[in-house]
Structures are given as C-alpha cells and as structure tokens.
Amino acid sequence: MYKASRFSPLTSIIRHTVVTLPTPINISTWWNFGSLLGICLASQIFSGLVLSLHFTAHTDLSFYVVIQSFGDVYYNWWFRALHANGASFFFIGLYLHIARGLYYGSYLFKEVWSIGVVILLLVMASAFLGYVLPWGQMSFWGATVITSLFSALPVIGGDVVVWLWGGFSVDNATLTRFFGLHFVLPFIVAGLVGLHLFFLHDQGSSNPLGVSSDFNKVVFHHYYVLKDLVGACFFIGPLLGLVYLNPWLLGDPENFIEGNPLVTPHHIQPEWYFLFAYAILRAVPNKLGGVVALAAAVLVLFYMPVSPKTSVKGLSFYPWGKMLFFSLVGVFFLLTWAGSKPVEEPYVVISQVLSFLYFSYFALIGPITRIQDKLL
C-alpha cells in the first residue's frame, strides 16, 4: 500500500540537499569553499540590495550620494564596507575553489565544471560593473579602458563600444546600464548556482584520493554541516575584522576622488582580483592579441574537461603534476604582483614570461600525467 510522505516536495528537496545527501567520508577542508561561496553570494546580494536603496545612477550625483550616505544613512558605511570587502573574499573563495578542482580533478564532472566557469565569468563581469558605480577616478578610467578593449574586435568593434557606452564616451547612459546589469547579474548567478548544485548532487562529489567512494559515504548532516559552520567562522571572522578595523585596505585611494575625464590617473589598474588577467593583457603588444589573451586566461578552464585523461583522478599520485600545479599557483601570485606595477621595464618582460608559463600549465599537465601513467 502506498504511504504518503510526511514531507512536502520543497521540504524533500531541501532535506535531500543539506540533510540526507550521501557525501564521501574522506573529503577535506578544501571542499568547504562551495558552502562559503554560497554565504558570500547571499551576503553580496543582501548588502547590494540595501545599498541600492540609497544609490542614484547619475554621473553628477553618484559620487556624492555614496559619500553622503556614509554619514546620513544609518549603518550605510557598514553595508558599503561589507559589500566592497565581501567581493574580495568572494574572489578568494572562487580562486581556491577552482584551484581545488584543478588539483583533485573535479573538472572531470563536465556539467558541474562548465557551469562553474560560466558562474566565474558572470561574477567577474558583475564585479567590474559594480566597481564603476561609485564614479571615482579609478571607476571612471577603469570603465573607459576596459570597455575600449572591445574596439579591437574586427569590423564590429567600434559599434560594440558605442553600444556599451550608450554614446560616444563613458557617460550617464553607461553608468545607468551598468547599474541595471550589476543589479540583475547576481540573481542570474544564483540561478546558475542552483543548476551547479543539481548536477553536483546528481553526479556526486569527488574526494582527495580520486577513487570511487560510493561504498563509503555518510549523510551531509550533521557531519559536514558542522564542518562547514566551523569553516564559515574562520572565513567570516577576517572579513568582519577588515570591515571594522580597516575597511578601505584593499581599495584604491584614487577612488576617493570624483571621476574626471580631463585628469588621467598616473597608474590605472583594476581591483587586485583582476590583476593577474590585467598583467596578461598588458603582456601582449598587439591590442587584439592582448584581448584574446585576456579572454583565454579564463576561457582556458573550459579546456580542462576535454584534456587528456589519467588513470587516477586528480594530482595526488602524480609528483610531476604536483610540481606543475604549485608552479601555476606561484605564477598566479606573480602575475597579480606584475599587474599592479606600471607598464614599463622590467615588468612588461616579466609579465610576458609569466603569461607564457600560465598557459603552459594547461598545455602540459595532461601529457605529463599521461607519461607518469606509462612509467608506473
């Protein structure tokens, strides 16, 4: 006889997602960043909604509205600091999440990985759009430089730039559409996160050993719920410390000056989490080549699911692969450093060498691990 479930369909979905979900017993702390990114996304959406209530997307008003809101709107300073620093922590979590996927072979879950890369692209786009909104010097000139890159596209480049600007320069129309897109994109990201989780739970999580763990799993709650809560405390603690003690540490002082199209900053650079890609862009002398290299720096992640397969998932048992991976981590940090430097020697040459090493990882990791398979 059929027995009706005591749970509603929605309750059942939530229960199977965060309570009874079968999870490998040996996953480590590196698997915490998925839930931490969910917390960051929720925090960014909520703080952004609060900030949007007191924002005016107009070139004559935006800068002064942001400054005035600090003193006149109750706790606006806190939400602004949380939103700005939360973006930095969001990218820290994203980069660590991707690094874990590269090291442990999570990219073999093709649907999960591909949706994750799309989420990364949308988050980067949203972060860039949000950086323009305060209309400070670095906001204005960052928008001008980055949108001008589309002019390198053959035939349609000029039309694309005019369409993005809504005119013949970065102006009020640009700011208005950037605000609209910045408001909408996080909700699209949230929907893709749901799809990301759907495919993840359908295919199952990977684990540090890279072997099948179907025979040795535990329920998600309470084992991993408690573990994620501990991770959240260690993640949120430094974020709140930064918000209260030094909220503008990661910002650019130029952005406390109103955007002025007649005064160019001495050194235009994006936020720190874009500096690695900015260094790759500047490393190529040709404008179109630089744009292609900039796009390839992120789009190369789509290649990983179709890269040469190994007998064991991940790099845990591949010493040469480990060396390559940690070299990539070092190159990433050095590219971030090089991107913060002026466009002059020796930084241009250093960026070119580092860019070559960055792309070399993705070309070499498959063949090198396959060679180790044959040797073993």
Side-chain angles (χ1 to χ4, degrees):
M1 183 178 177
Y2 175 76
K3 184 179 180 181
S5 172
R6 59 193 178 93
F7 299 109
S8 68
L10 180 59
T11 306
S12 295
I13 291 173
I14 296 173
R15 179 178 171 81
H16 292 315
T17 302
V18 296
V19 179
T20 62
L21 177 72
T23 310
I25 199 169
N26 63 330
I27 61 175
S28 66
T29 305
W30 292 110
W31 272 256
N32 277 40
F33 286 98
S35 61
L36 294 179
L37 288 171
I39 294 172
C40 279
L41 179 60
S43 169
Q44 290 300 97
I45 290 176
F46 177 70
S47 58
L49 284 172
V50 173
L51 292 174
S52 70
L53 300 176
H54 306 282
F55 181 76
T56 303
H58 194 285
T59 53
D60 294 333
L61 301 173
S62 294
F63 181 79
Y64 296 103
V65 165
V66 170
I67 298 299
Q68 180 260 351
S69 297
F70 283 170
D72 292 353
V73 179
Y74 196 61
Y75 270 102
N76 181 273
W77 68 268
W78 188 85
F79 284 106
R80 172 82 193 284
L82 179 67
H83 198 68
N85 291 294
S88 290
F89 275 70
F90 201 169
F91 275 96
I92 291 172
L94 274 172
Y95 292 149
L96 289 174
H97 196 54
I98 293 168
R100 190 267 297 168
L102 290 173
Y103 187 85
Y104 289 113
S106 300
Y107 50 80
L108 294 176
F109 299 135
K110 294 181 180 179
E111 294 87 355
V112 179
W113 181 263
S114 299
I115 294 171
V117 177
V118 173
I119 290 171
L120 172 65
L121 290 169
L122 291 179
V123 170
M124 294 178 88
S126 184
F128 164 69
L129 296 171
Y131 190 58
V132 176
L133 299 184
W135 209 245
Q137 270 288 72
M138 204 55 70
S139 298
F140 173 81
W141 285 102
T144 302
V145 170
I146 298 302
T147 52
S148 296
L149 295 177
F150 288 93
S151 65
L153 297 174
V155 184
I156 63 171
D159 293 332
V160 171
V161 172
V162 171
W163 177 77
L164 284 172
W165 287 346
F168 298 101
S169 66
V170 175
D171 208 339
N172 197 54
T174 317
L175 184 61
T176 302
R177 61 190 57 192
F178 276 23
F179 176 57
L181 287 171
H182 182 66
F183 191 92
V184 170
L185 279 180
F187 295 101
I188 298 175
V189 169
L192 286 173
V193 167
L195 198 58
H196 187 69
L197 290 174
F198 171 79
F199 282 110
L200 174 65
H201 293 166
D202 180 61
Q203 299 174 2
S205 297
S206 58
N207 62 83
L209 294 179
V211 297
S212 175
S213 59
D214 290 342
F215 58 90
N216 195 12
K217 291 187 175 183
V218 294
V219 292
F220 191 80
H221 178 75
H222 53 88
Y223 294 100
Y224 289 110
V225 167
L226 293 177
K227 188 176 181 180
D228 284 352
L229 287 174
V230 172
C233 291
F234 280 101
F235 199 71
I236 294 172
L239 171 59
L240 292 179
L242 201 59
V243 168
Y244 284 112
L245 300 177
N246 199 347
W248 315 122
L249 175 66
L250 302 176
D252 195 309
E254 288 278 358
N255 239 24
F256 286 94
I257 304 171
E258 186 182 6
N260 187 347
L262 301 179
V263 179
T264 308
H266 177 66
H267 177 41
I268 300 172
Q269 66 180 46
E271 288 284 77
W272 70 266
Y273 37 78
F274 291 144
L275 287 175
F276 83 98
Y278 188 56
I280 293 173
L281 167 70
R282 300 187 319 183
V284 182
N286 177 267
K287 187 175 182 179
L288 178 59
V291 172
V292 171
L294 171 66
V298 180
L299 295 179
V300 70
L301 294 173
F302 282 115
Y303 163 74
M304 293 308 295
V306 296
S307 60
K309 303 297 184 294
T310 55
S311 58
V312 180
K313 188 193 299 182
L315 302 176
S316 297
F317 301 103
Y318 295 94
W320 297 349
K322 285 182 179 181
M323 290 173 59
L324 263 183
F325 173 80
F326 288 111
S327 297
L328 174 68
V329 173
V331 165
F332 179 86
F333 280 110
L334 290 173
L335 277 170
T336 299
W337 166 78
S340 67
K341 299 300 179 182
V343 189
E344 59 186 32
E345 300 300 341
Y347 304 117
V348 174
V349 174
I350 291 172
S351 296
Q352 290 171 342
V353 173
L354 292 172
S355 299
F356 174 77
L357 294 175
Y358 176 85
F359 289 110
S360 295
Y361 170 84
F362 298 96
L364 296 176
I365 189 63
I368 282 182
T369 49
R370 289 296 294 274
I371 290 171
Q372 282 191 267
D373 274 339
K374 292 180 180 180
L375 292 177
L376 296 175

